[in-house]
Amino acid sequence: MRRFKNILTYVNLSLDEHPALERGVRLARHNNANLTAMTVIEEYPAQAHALLRSIHLEDALETIERENREQLERIVQPIRDAGLAVETVVAHGSTFIEVIRAALQRQHDLVIKTVSSEGVFHRTFFGSIDMHLLRKCPTPLWLIKPGEPEAFRQILVPLDPNMEDAVKHDLGIDLLTLATSLVEMDSAELMIVHAWRAYEEGKLKKYMESKQFEEYLHKWGQEASKRVWNFVSSFGREFKPTSIHLVQGEPGEVIPKFAKDHNVDLLVTGTLGRLGQHGMFIGDTAERILGRLECSVLAVKPAGFVSPVH
């Protein structure tokens, strides 16, 4: 079982409730871990300093900062009163950059944040800060949907089993390790899904008889099932047959639909992408899946990922 030991929770002071902090507290108690609550004050533009100075209100910015620090302290004080030590951090700058810098500098092994959807006109469930963190945060990132129950009930892991690719194999094992740990902690149901498509099925269909094409798809599906079971067997733990789901189609479309149809509370997924200048970037498939999700997500980078934020 994987246990996080140094947890960083971002607290959005504009929210009335803080489910990410609540989850961080629960994990810290369960794992006997260190917990840090962090907020970020956006940098003040130069014009603000000049304007406030011109009307003799230059102390206003310091007052705002002090109020933010005091508000964060008020939020965490009941947690401290209940016996859990919580460190607080207030940073200045761009939220996603400062969160990543804190995770790197303080060697956090998990970042938790409440989803900051940017309104009904935003094209995805996750806000821009969330997407920046999903793409660039080197540690596991847990984005908590507001209104989620204290304990998750349905946890979904999408798998792309590849026994020959060491990076994909190790990432898949990491995902199963995390998911099974959370299943045990929350007494949840685990679902493993593999989305498959036969090679060039759209084009090959034109050159095959109907029966031939059906046989082609059937055999490809059998092979996909075999690969999944070989992979989960290598994990060293038995899974119920009803826990494994194979769905045919493009992962970016069928996995979010599967999650919605099965009332999934949490998706535990990898963000394996291409090798670029700063290491592994988030992959197109992961981007499409995350862009269509409407549930909490725990996203894990593969070994070797290097964040572009330093």
Side-chain angles (χ1 to χ4, degrees):
M1 178 185 294
R2 177 167 178 173
R3 294 181 181 273
F4 296 109
K5 288 296 185 182
N6 191 18
I7 300 166
L8 175 65
T9 300
Y10 173 75
V11 178
N12 185 342
L13 298 179
S14 67
L15 299 178
D16 295 327
E17 297 181 349
H18 305 283
L21 182 59
E22 293 170 7
R23 173 58 63 165
V25 169
R26 189 158 186 247
L27 270 177
R29 286 180 173 143
H30 189 267
N31 295 350
N32 192 26
N34 297 323
L35 179 63
T36 299
M38 175 184 187
T39 195
V40 178
I41 302 173
E42 294 291 331
E43 287 285 7
Y44 307 125
Q47 303 95 296
H49 286 279
L51 179 60
L52 290 168
R53 192 182 306 115
S54 70
I55 58 177
H56 308 292
L57 288 174
E58 54 265 39
D59 293 336
L61 297 180
E62 292 182 11
T63 301
I64 291 172
E65 179 173 346
R66 183 175 66 253
E67 288 178 350
N68 284 338
R69 291 180 181 276
E70 290 173 352
Q71 184 180 356
L72 181 61
E73 291 294 330
R74 286 197 300 272
I75 290 170
V76 303
Q77 192 56 50
I79 302 169
R80 291 170 174 159
D81 292 343
L84 181 66
V86 184
E87 187 176 354
T88 56
V89 172
V90 178
H92 295 81
S94 174
T95 298
F96 82 89
I97 290 176
E98 296 309 318
V99 168
I100 293 173
R101 281 178 175 163
L104 291 168
Q105 292 169 357
R106 303 166 65 88
Q107 298 182 318
H108 290 288
D109 53 10
L110 176 66
V111 172
I112 312 179
K113 180 184 175 297
T114 304
V115 171
S116 56
S117 183
E118 295 170 349
V120 295
F121 298 110
H122 198 278
R123 67 181 182 86
T124 64
F125 173 70
F126 300 107
S128 60
I129 294 173
D130 302 327
M131 293 307 296
H132 275 301
L133 288 170
L134 285 165
R135 294 175 183 126
K136 303 176 180 75
C137 185
T139 66
L141 171 69
W142 198 335
L143 295 174
I144 303 285
K145 177 182 176 181
E148 286 286 16
E150 180 180 342
F152 291 105
R153 297 157 298 193
Q154 307 279 353
I155 297 176
L156 178 64
V157 182
L159 279 185
D160 180 15
N162 192 329
M163 303 292 283
E164 292 76 34
D165 187 318
V167 174
K168 285 187 177 181
H169 177 270
D170 291 348
L171 180 59
I173 294 297
D174 203 12
L175 295 178
L176 286 178
T177 302
L178 279 174
T180 52
S181 297
L182 295 170
V183 164
E184 292 171 2
M185 187 175 76
D186 283 13
S187 299
E189 178 186 353
L190 175 65
M191 292 182 284
I192 299 169
V193 64
H194 172 56
W196 65 274
R197 294 185 67 189
Y199 175 73
E200 293 289 10
E201 60 182 60
K203 295 179 180 178
L204 288 173
K205 186 177 183 178
K206 296 184 294 185
Y207 303 102
M208 292 183 181
E209 297 290 338
S210 177
K211 191 172 182 180
Q212 256 187 323
F213 184 67
E214 288 178 8
E215 183 179 2
Y216 175 66
L217 293 182
H218 178 69
K219 288 186 176 180
W220 200 279
Q222 284 184 319
E223 182 61 27
S225 178
K226 179 180 177 182
R227 289 174 61 224
V228 171
W229 279 105
N230 285 343
F231 187 90
V232 297
S233 297
S234 72
F235 184 63
R237 170 176 174 159
E238 289 190 7
F239 294 95
K240 297 182 295 184
T242 53
S243 299
I244 314 296
H245 303 267
L246 277 82
V247 291
Q248 184 181 3
E250 173 62 38
E253 295 177 3
V254 299
I255 290 176
K257 184 179 184 303
F258 183 95
K260 185 174 182 178
D261 291 346
H262 290 79
N263 299 315
V264 168
D265 302 306
L266 175 67
L267 183 85
V268 182
T269 186
T271 55
L272 181 63
R274 65 189 184 280
L275 187 62
Q277 183 179 0
H278 296 292
M280 294 289 227
F281 292 131
I282 187 170
D284 292 338
T285 298
E287 191 96 28
R288 288 195 295 272
I289 292 172
L290 293 168
R292 291 176 169 88
L293 274 184
E294 296 182 9
C295 66
S296 299
V297 61
L298 175 53
V300 182
K301 298 292 191 303
F305 175 85
V306 179
S307 175
V309 178
H310 300 287

